[in-house]
Amino acid sequence: MEQRRFGDSDLVTSAVGFGTWEMSTTMYGHIDVDEAAKAVNMAIDRGITLFDTAEVYGPYHSEELLAKALGNRRNEVVLVTKVGFDYDDTPMVRGLNSKKEHIIEHTEGCLRRLNTDYVDLMLIHWPDHDTPFEETMEGLEELKQSGKIRHYGVSNFNIDMMQECQQYGNIVANQVGYHMFDRRMESRVLPWCMNNGVGFMSYGSLAFGLLTGAFKPDHQFEEGDWRGNGVAFNLPLFEGERFKQEVEIANRLSVLADGYGKTVAQLGIAWVLDHPGVTCALVGMRNERELEENVAATDWKLTEEIRSGINEIFDEVGVPTYQNLDQVVHVARATGARRNLRD
């Protein structure tokens, strides 16, 4: 498995990371939790060293299930988790909160659920515009100095936000959505991360399932599956005619990939990793078949011919890829927008 470094830090991980949003058990419809847990250990055996989770996945379920699956292998992996939400007693998300004491308190909860003394990389999940970034960075620095986190970073932050954070600390990563259907990060965010020593983690690397070959144009999402809302991080990826066009693209990409003895999922992962600014592509892995498929994708280096073929398919079908939108589309308030606040 190829290893990549997070910017200027000493944090080095596998190019593909194990994403555990699906292990929340509340947002992706039904999954076989036992099979997903088995996939965790098989992933380690095959060279995957980064495992990404968050307290909001569930909330709390994903961290607990990941800890159980890791067992005594925790020290073999790089653990990434995220904080920055308020919850009620249900627990349900009430809003964003990145105040210093809140971050410290919720990091303690993450450590308990993950059954570990430290987290390798702690991220602020979404920008909290009611809390000065200076205060948030102060909390992260305190956690780092106490040894409870090794490194820290952000998620879903734009350039201005990262620049302000860097005045008060040292963020080593930004985790943002990036895949063939959503290229918003290519214009400014990815180049900025490359030029400023900040690692870039892509989530949704398989376009939240569009690049798995799992969908037909008339697909109906299960109750509780967040994609049933139609909107994915402010883009209409699962809405009506646009969704049908995207399924057509996925089918044509599958034919392209098959010509090279690969799958459309492997094409999606290889495409993300092809960008020189990407440190790690996060991918959900629910079973051994998906795991083997994802691991094999890291050995595929795309040619200019393949990249051109991909773009031609998008152009012919007429689906935008949004690369001209040069900022992270973030949400100022969590209330009323929970569907955009989960990854």
Side-chain angles (χ1 to χ4, degrees):
M1 173 70 68
E2 179 187 358
Q3 302 291 301
R4 297 188 177 187
R5 182 181 300 276
F6 276 76
D8 297 331
S9 75
D10 63 356
L11 186 62
V12 179
T13 73
S14 54
V16 167
F18 195 116
T20 66
W21 188 13
E22 293 173 342
M23 290 174 68
S24 68
T25 71
T26 59
M27 294 295 291
Y28 265 98
H30 174 74
I31 69 164
D32 188 320
V33 173
D34 291 335
E35 283 297 310
K38 291 178 184 177
V40 168
N41 281 278
M42 288 186 287
I44 300 173
D45 293 338
R46 286 156 180 78
I48 291 178
T49 58
L50 185 142
F51 288 77
D52 177 84
T53 185
E55 66 168 1
V56 77
Y57 297 166
Y60 312 139
H61 298 162
S62 176
E63 289 181 326
E64 293 167 346
L65 289 172
L66 178 58
K68 183 178 179 181
L70 286 173
N72 60 7
R73 305 190 73 176
R74 184 268 174 269
N75 290 333
E76 298 179 43
V77 306
V78 170
L79 271 183
V80 183
T81 193
K82 315 176 205 55
V83 293
F85 283 103
D86 260 333
Y87 308 92
D88 59 24
D89 294 334
T90 314
M92 294 291 288
V93 173
R94 294 193 307 170
L96 295 164
N97 188 341
S98 293
K99 296 183 185 301
K100 174 183 175 180
E101 295 307 321
H102 183 86
I103 293 300
I104 292 173
E105 176 187 351
H106 280 250
T107 295
E108 295 287 356
C110 294
L111 294 175
R112 288 193 301 271
R113 287 185 295 272
L114 288 167
N115 193 28
T116 184
D117 296 328
Y118 68 96
V119 169
D120 296 282
L121 177 60
M122 175 61 75
L123 304 179
I124 300 301
H125 209 147
W126 282 85
D128 170 15
H129 301 289
D130 293 328
T131 302
F133 292 138
E134 179 179 7
E135 178 181 343
T136 304
M137 292 299 105
E138 184 180 342
L140 291 170
E141 272 294 326
E142 185 171 316
L143 287 164
K144 183 177 180 180
Q145 294 304 317
S146 68
K148 293 182 178 178
I149 63 175
R150 289 181 55 215
H151 301 280
Y152 57 81
V154 294
S155 180
N156 303 300
F157 276 46
N158 65 26
I159 292 174
D160 290 341
M161 297 170 189
M162 288 189 286
Q163 287 177 327
E164 185 173 350
C165 289
Q166 291 292 61
Q167 296 178 33
Y168 308 110
N170 180 34
I171 58 174
V172 305
N174 186 18
Q175 184 182 124
V176 192
Y178 180 56
H179 50 79
M180 284 189 203
F181 292 93
D182 180 4
R183 308 184 191 183
R184 287 175 288 183
M185 299 305 102
E186 289 183 349
S187 178
R188 294 187 63 215
V189 172
L190 268 163
W192 187 91
C193 288
M194 290 177 63
N195 293 331
N196 289 273
V198 176
F200 185 95
M201 303 171 69
S202 70
Y203 65 73
S205 303
L206 295 180
F208 310 111
L210 285 168
L211 294 172
T212 64
F215 298 139
K216 295 181 179 180
D218 60 350
H219 183 87
Q220 297 295 312
F221 291 99
E222 294 181 32
E223 183 178 355
D225 191 318
W226 70 276
R227 295 168 294 187
N229 292 319
V231 177
F233 299 89
N234 297 313
L235 298 182
L237 297 185
F238 299 99
E239 286 186 346
E241 291 302 313
R242 176 60 53 80
F243 176 63
K244 293 178 181 178
Q245 289 180 304
E246 289 161 347
V247 172
E248 179 184 348
I249 286 177
N251 290 338
R252 293 179 63 173
L253 290 172
S254 181
V255 173
L256 187 156
D258 188 62
Y260 295 90
K262 303 291 186 179
T263 67
V264 66
Q266 290 171 329
L267 180 63
I269 295 170
W271 183 89
V272 170
L273 292 176
D274 190 56
H275 194 291
V278 172
T279 309
C280 182
L282 295 174
V283 188
M285 308 182 206
R286 297 171 296 182
N287 52 53
E288 184 174 8
R289 180 191 64 78
E290 291 181 353
L291 169 65
E292 297 288 4
E293 184 177 17
N294 296 340
V295 169
T298 62
D299 296 327
W300 192 13
K301 305 303 178 185
L302 301 188
T303 63
E304 184 58 39
E305 179 183 21
I306 297 173
R307 290 190 290 269
S308 296
I310 291 170
N311 292 333
E312 286 174 8
I313 290 172
F314 275 87
D315 290 341
E316 290 169 3
V317 178
V319 169
T321 55
Y322 308 99
Q323 61 260 56
N324 293 324
L325 297 179
D326 63 1
Q327 291 291 333
V328 179
V329 179
H330 59 273
V331 180
R333 300 291 187 272
T335 54
R338 290 178 55 244
R339 67 185 179 186
N340 285 327
L341 292 171
R342 290 309 185 111
D343 209 344

